[in-house]
Amino acid sequence: MTILHRIRIRGFMKKNVFRMPTPIKITGRTSSITNAFVNGIIPVVEPTEAEIDDALATLGMTRESICCAYCGDTCTEWDHFRPLIVDKGPTGYISEIHNLVPACGKCNQSKGNKEWKKWMYSDASLSPKTRGITDINERCRKLEVYERKYAPTKLDFVEIVGEELWEKHWNNHEKLLELMKTCQETSDEIKERITMSLRNE
């Protein structure tokens, strides 16, 4: 019996409790590359201690009572209230306290680059509505106050850096994606040869 036969039998016998990890593809990382090309140019403005306290107070929190602004769970990170990336391009917003709110990993993951209020009341996986958060209306009210109080910085990146440099950056992006396709072809060939060697055992 070959190694592949043993693998198939083993997988069949344990099909209810076992699932192979999803194969990794180089070209499957294109969205991560695009995000890196956008996030890599986004300015980061560190807040003062007073600005942090003021942001928390606007949301009805203190450093001791800080929690996810969207659902109330334990805060593990700060989420970009208005997305930095939409349709694979920068929105013009930056990383600053007036565009950040405390969040939990579930909400941050689920929200992604969606508009915050539509997402909160949506049927998206792990959204506050889907998870049955009971005080969702009150949380939305506080976030509306937060949104009205702080006007986040929004920049025209192209105007600031000039079209030539901007095009250079995104041409580099396209070249990298094309190189990833070539790398994927090489990777597929290597994988096929390794798989064939297993079949011949």
Side-chain angles (χ1 to χ4, degrees), residues 4-26:
L4 283 180
H5 285 153
R6 290 199 297 274
I7 291 173
R8 285 173 183 151
I9 290 172
R10 217 173 279 135
F12 176 77
M13 293 175 65
K14 297 184 178 181
K15 63 182 179 180
N16 293 327
V17 296
F18 176 78
R19 186 179 70 180
M20 288 296 294
T22 303
I24 300 298
K25 280 191 168 288
I26 296 170

Side-chain angles (χ1 to χ4, degrees), residues 41 155-170:
I41 64 173
L155 306 173
D156 185 332
F157 297 147
V158 181
E159 183 178 349
I160 293 170
V161 305
E163 291 187 4
E164 183 178 352
L165 184 57
W166 189 253
E167 288 181 9
K168 180 179 179 180
H169 181 67
W170 290 105

Side-chain angles (χ1 to χ4, degrees), residues 145-156:
V145 171
Y146 192 85
E147 187 173 43
R148 287 194 299 269
K149 180 175 180 178
Y150 301 116
T153 302
K154 188 173 185 181
L155 306 173
D156 185 332

Side-chain angles (χ1 to χ4, degrees), residues 131-145:
R131 289 161 58 201
I133 302 304
T134 56
D135 61 346
I136 186 172
N137 292 334
E138 176 62 16
R139 294 194 171 280
C140 273
R141 188 193 64 76
K142 290 179 180 178
L143 286 167
E144 287 171 345
V145 171

